[in-house]
Amino acid sequence: VVIYKSEYKTDDRGRRIRFKHQNGDFVRDDDGQLIPDRRGRYYRQWRDEIRTADDIWNEVAAASKVPGLTSAPKLQPIETRIVMLQTGMRANIGMKISGPDLETIDAFSIKMEELIRDVQGVRTPSVFADRVVGKPYIEIDIDRREIARHGLSIREVQEVITTGIGGMALTSTVEGRERFDIRVRFAREYRNSPEMLKRVLVPTPTGAQIPLGQLADIRFTTGPMNIRSENSFLVNYVTFDAQSDASAVEVVERIIETLDNKIQSGDLVVPSGISWTFEGEYRNQLRATERLMLILPVTLFIIFILMYFQFRSVPVTLMIFSGIAVAWAGGFIMLWLYGQPWFLDFSVAGISMRDLFQVGQINLSVAVWVGFLALFGIAVDDGVVMATYLKQSFERNATSHIADIRSATIEAGLKRIRPCLMTTATTLLALLPILTSTGKGSDIMLPMAVPIFGGMLFQLITLFVVPVLWCAWEERKLTMKNIIEEGELQ
């Protein structure tokens, strides 16, 4: 059992406490205790090198390293149960191995454990193949000829074994609201070893008592620890986890490539009847990718149709739609910046900006794509505001020359830049609590918020793109109109 303290000293409600400090050091009383002070600093209880949950996990894995044992994936209790409901295994990623018998599956699973542990991107301490075979059993093989010679049946011998060794519930006792079975069986000293079991007496119809050792072969044997089956095949699991800087899909693809190379070179021989699949987060990502390939185009099409119903013009709709392309690029730029070691690598008032905004590599996941879907709907807001007023400006002002078109465009742009900036600013400010959150659910909300924040930040470019495109479109219309009129006059 590993018990660790919170990062900063807290009160009974879990709130951080400030303590008095002087010249960079905390002041203590005569008993050596810290002195609370509202204007003081928080007291950090972790070592300086411990900064994240992964650092704690690495320390635990190193301290609990025991020969013959392996670690487990870094999962929280609730997360473990959710993962088990999804895949049946206690890990983010796992390999399901099916085969004809338990011995073959067990040997191949151990081989896979050795190979997967050496793949780049795999968290080495988390790799573990469930041991299927190896649990000790006491096997009692009844000699049918011997029991027939004494006039016994299989059922009679098994009743003695069941009652004397396993125990039989005869009645129950009531103690308040609780019920307890009263079981009868031999004392422990008469059944704690195969030698003692051989001395168990079995009554015969003639009244003679025959030792069980004369009627059956009693021996220790190894058998399965558990038996799993899926789709009518026996199954075993090899569980593992990916490192923080690698995605589940990348890790599994590297494992598949490694196994293929081993098979082609002859270093890995796959027994007859063995097959395997990868489950967990990898399978979820593949399913999500298939759905997103349909959802993304449908979402963009619906946004396009809504914009068209508003302006009744395909060119105007495409101008507004350019904001989605800009926001899309901005979202990916922000994801790239989060993966750079120099991004926000400075401190303000002693607070590291990288720690505050949880800057680190973010792999593409379902949460990231959900953030992009939300971004698409928000990204067209500024374009709609700008295009609406541009339309009104050109309806109000007659434009017979290019100078008039540019003047009307500048007028509309200047009057609508403030509302657009306010719309974007409120969105960005609303995302700051999510970007700095560290509580439950932050691991899902942060990948959703980062592309939205980056997309809206870069989407400000549309304040210039939409007016410029609108002006070019109006100038082209005027030029074509003049060409047609000159042609009619000639």
Side-chain angles (χ1 to χ4, degrees), residues 70-178:
T70 63
S71 182
K74 183 172 70 68
L75 293 174
Q76 298 296 323
I78 297 177
E79 185 181 5
T80 304
R81 279 144 182 82
I82 293 175
V83 170
M84 287 190 68
L85 288 174
Q86 291 176 339
T87 64
M89 60 182 64
R90 292 174 293 180
N92 287 324
I93 320 172
M95 183 180 185
K96 287 185 178 180
I97 301 176
S98 304
D101 56 81
L102 295 176
E103 290 76 12
T104 304
I105 295 175
D106 185 69
F108 190 75
S109 299
I110 296 174
K111 182 65 176 178
M112 288 296 101
E113 177 185 331
E114 298 173 358
L115 295 177
I116 293 175
R117 188 176 285 117
D118 297 332
V119 175
Q120 181 183 2
V122 175
R123 195 188 298 270
T124 303
S126 68
V127 183
F128 178 69
D130 292 345
R131 268 45 177 182
V132 180
V133 181
K135 186 175 182 179
Y137 286 86
I138 292 180
E139 189 173 287
I140 301 176
D141 186 9
I142 300 175
D143 189 341
R144 294 176 179 268
R145 291 187 177 182
E146 190 65 25
I147 64 172
R149 191 167 66 86
H150 293 283
L152 294 170
S153 64
I154 292 289
R155 179 178 179 181
E156 291 172 338
V157 178
Q158 287 180 340
E159 284 180 352
V160 174
I161 296 172
T162 303
T163 306
I165 300 174
M168 177 179 291
L170 300 180
T171 183
S172 60
T173 179
V174 179
E175 311 235 354
R177 294 175 57 85
E178 299 177 350

Side-chain angles (χ1 to χ4, degrees), residues 88-269:
M89 60 182 64
R90 292 174 293 180
N92 287 324
I93 320 172
M95 183 180 185
K96 287 185 178 180
I97 301 176
S98 304
D101 56 81
L102 295 176
E103 290 76 12
T104 304
I105 295 175
D106 185 69
F108 190 75
S109 299
I110 296 174
K111 182 65 176 178
M112 288 296 101
E113 177 185 331
E114 298 173 358
L115 295 177
I116 293 175
R117 188 176 285 117
D118 297 332
V119 175
Q120 181 183 2
V122 175
R123 195 188 298 270
T124 303
S126 68
V127 183
F128 178 69
D130 292 345
R131 268 45 177 182
V132 180
V133 181
K135 186 175 182 179
Y137 286 86
I138 292 180
E139 189 173 287
I140 301 176
D141 186 9
I142 300 175
D143 189 341
R144 294 176 179 268
R145 291 187 177 182
E146 190 65 25
I147 64 172
R149 191 167 66 86
H150 293 283
L152 294 170
S153 64
I154 292 289
R155 179 178 179 181
E156 291 172 338
V157 178
Q158 287 180 340
E159 284 180 352
V160 174
I161 296 172
T162 303
T163 306
I165 300 174
M168 177 179 291
L170 300 180
T171 183
S172 60
T173 179
V174 179
E175 311 235 354
R177 294 175 57 85
E178 299 177 350
R179 306 291 189 272
F180 299 97
D181 288 337
I182 298 178
R183 306 179 68 87
V184 175
R185 59 178 174 177
F186 295 137
R188 182 177 297 276
E189 57 268 18
Y190 295 105
R191 52 180 174 83
N192 59 358
S193 66
E195 289 73 19
M196 297 306 299
L197 290 177
K198 292 179 180 180
R199 301 178 185 179
V200 173
L201 299 177
V202 180
T204 63
T206 61
Q209 302 286 334
I210 307 299
L212 182 60
Q214 296 183 14
L215 304 177
D217 181 19
I218 304 175
R219 60 183 179 272
F220 269 121
T221 184
T222 57
M225 298 183 183
N226 53 64
I227 300 176
R228 300 189 184 98
S229 63
E230 294 183 13
N231 301 323
S232 72
F233 288 98
L234 295 172
V235 173
N236 189 35
Y237 299 153
V238 180
T239 58
F240 55 94
D241 200 0
Q243 295 179 359
S244 57
D245 59 347
S247 66
V249 177
E250 292 176 350
V251 170
V252 173
E253 288 178 350
R254 291 172 187 168
I255 293 174
I256 294 174
E257 182 180 358
T258 300
L259 296 180
D260 291 341
N261 294 336
K262 293 287 185 181
I263 293 173
Q264 292 177 2
S265 63
D267 296 335
L268 176 62
V269 178

